[in-house]
Amino acid sequence: TQLLEQSPQFLSIQEGENLTVYCNSSSVFSSLQWYRQEPGEGPVLLVTVVTGGEVKKLKRLTFQFGDARKDSSLHITAAQTGDTGLYLCAGVYYNQGGKLIFGQGTELSVKP
Amino acid sequence: NAGVTQTPKFRILKIGQSMTLQCTQDMNHNYMYWYRQDPGMGLKLIYYSVGAGITDKGEVPNGYNVSRSTTEDFPLRLELAAPSQTSVYFCASSRPGTGPEKLFFGSGTQLSVL
C-alpha cells in the first residue's frame, strides 16, 4: 500500500502570512488532486495536476507537481481567515486501478 | 442543484445495532464511493461502485455492506455496529472520462457507536 504523507498536519498562522503545505509519496502518481474541506461539509476539489513540473494558480493559491511526479505542494500567499479549513491531497497511482488515495490532511487555521 | 445528498446528518448507535446510511445523487454519475474520515487519518475508501449492479471493496470494507440497484442510490449498511465504526462517513460520485476523476462529495454522516 502506497503511503501518501502530508505535512504539516496542523498549521496556525496570522492573516497576511504565507504558507506551504507538502504532499509526498515514495511512488509515482499518474495525477494528483488537492481538496479543501470546511467543518461539517465534504471535500471540494481545488485543482488537478497531471504533468511533472506543472504549476497551477487559483487566485492566491499556487499548486506545484514535482518533476518526478512523487510530490506536490500548495502555497498560499497572504492568507485570509476564509482560507481556514482542512486541505487534502489525493493521488492516483498507476497500479491502484485509478482509485484516489488520500493523505491525512493539513488543518489550517488563519487568525485575524 | 442537489448534487450528492446523504442522510442522516448525525446518528448515535448502540453496539450491535444496525443501520443504513443513505446516499443519492442527481448528476447521473456512474461511479459512486463510500469513504470514512477519522481525525488525522484522511479519507479511507470503504466500497465503490462503477455502475448499477456492480460493487467492489475498497481499503477498509470489513463490517460494511453496499448495494447499487439504481444509478442514483448507493446505501451503506452497518450490520453489527462496533465502537471502531465511530467516524464521519462521506459518499461521493464521479463521471468517468478521459482525464482524472473529479469527485463530488456529500456533506457527510457523523456516526457514534456507544
Side-chain angles (χ1 to χ4, degrees):
Chain A
T1 302
Q2 288 90 344
L3 184 62
L4 199 163
E5 290 204 4
Q6 277 187 247
S7 62
Q9 192 171 352
F10 300 96
L11 192 54
S12 180
I13 61 172
Q14 295 296 127
E15 198 169 28
E17 292 183 1
N18 301 332
L19 68 111
T20 302
V21 176
Y22 299 93
C23 180
N24 294 287
S25 174
S26 58
S27 298
V28 176
F29 301 111
S30 62
S31 65
L32 188 135
Q33 299 180 339
W34 284 93
Y35 289 79
R36 179 168 171 265
Q37 184 178 14
E38 296 191 25
E41 298 296 329
V44 176
L45 180 65
L46 295 173
V47 76
T48 301
V49 286
V50 179
T51 306
E54 183 176 4
V55 177
K56 283 192 173 180
K57 293 193 174 184
L58 188 65
K59 296 183 181 178
R60 294 174 293 100
L61 277 62
T62 301
F63 304 86
Q64 187 159 5
F65 201 14
D67 292 340
R69 302 162 66 127
K70 292 184 178 181
D71 57 272
S72 181
S73 63
L74 158 60
H75 182 79
I76 301 180
T77 303
Q80 300 176 356
T81 56
D83 295 327
T84 292
L86 179 68
Y87 290 82
L88 294 155
C89 66
V92 178
Y93 294 95
Y94 286 106
N95 63 347
Q96 288 291 322
K99 294 186 291 295
L100 281 172
I101 304 297
F102 281 84
Q104 71 269 48
T106 294
E107 188 78 52
L108 172 65
S109 173
V110 182
K111 301 184 186 309
Chain B
N1 295 333
V4 179
T5 303
Q6 290 184 238
T7 57
K9 185 77 172 174
F10 303 95
R11 183 72 186 268
I12 298 175
L13 284 181
K14 293 182 179 179
I15 295 172
Q17 285 186 320
S18 61
M19 76 163 293
T20 300
L21 282 67
Q22 302 291 345
C23 175
T24 187
Q25 53 93 8
D26 62 359
M27 297 175 284
N28 200 32
H29 285 171
N30 288 336
Y31 287 18
M32 295 188 74
Y33 308 82
W34 275 106
Y35 288 90
R36 59 177 287 172
Q37 185 175 37
D38 301 300
M41 298 296 290
L43 288 131
K44 299 293 185 185
L45 182 63
I46 304 171
Y47 271 96
Y48 66 100
S49 169
V50 299
I54 306 169
T55 62
D56 207 347
K57 297 177 180 179
E59 302 172 78
V60 289
N62 292 343
Y64 307 95
N65 278 300
V66 294
S67 59
R68 184 96 181 270
S69 57
T70 67
T71 298
E72 295 78 18
D73 300 305
F74 191 40
L76 178 71
R77 178 84 177 162
L78 284 71
E79 289 294 349
L80 290 169
S84 61
Q85 293 178 305
T86 293
S87 187
V88 182
Y89 292 84
F90 288 97
C91 178
S93 72
S94 69
R95 188 201 327 265
T98 56
E101 289 181 78
K102 177 180 180 179
L103 266 61
F104 293 83
F105 285 86
S107 57
T109 295
Q110 187 168 326
L111 175 67
S112 295
V113 182
L114 306 175

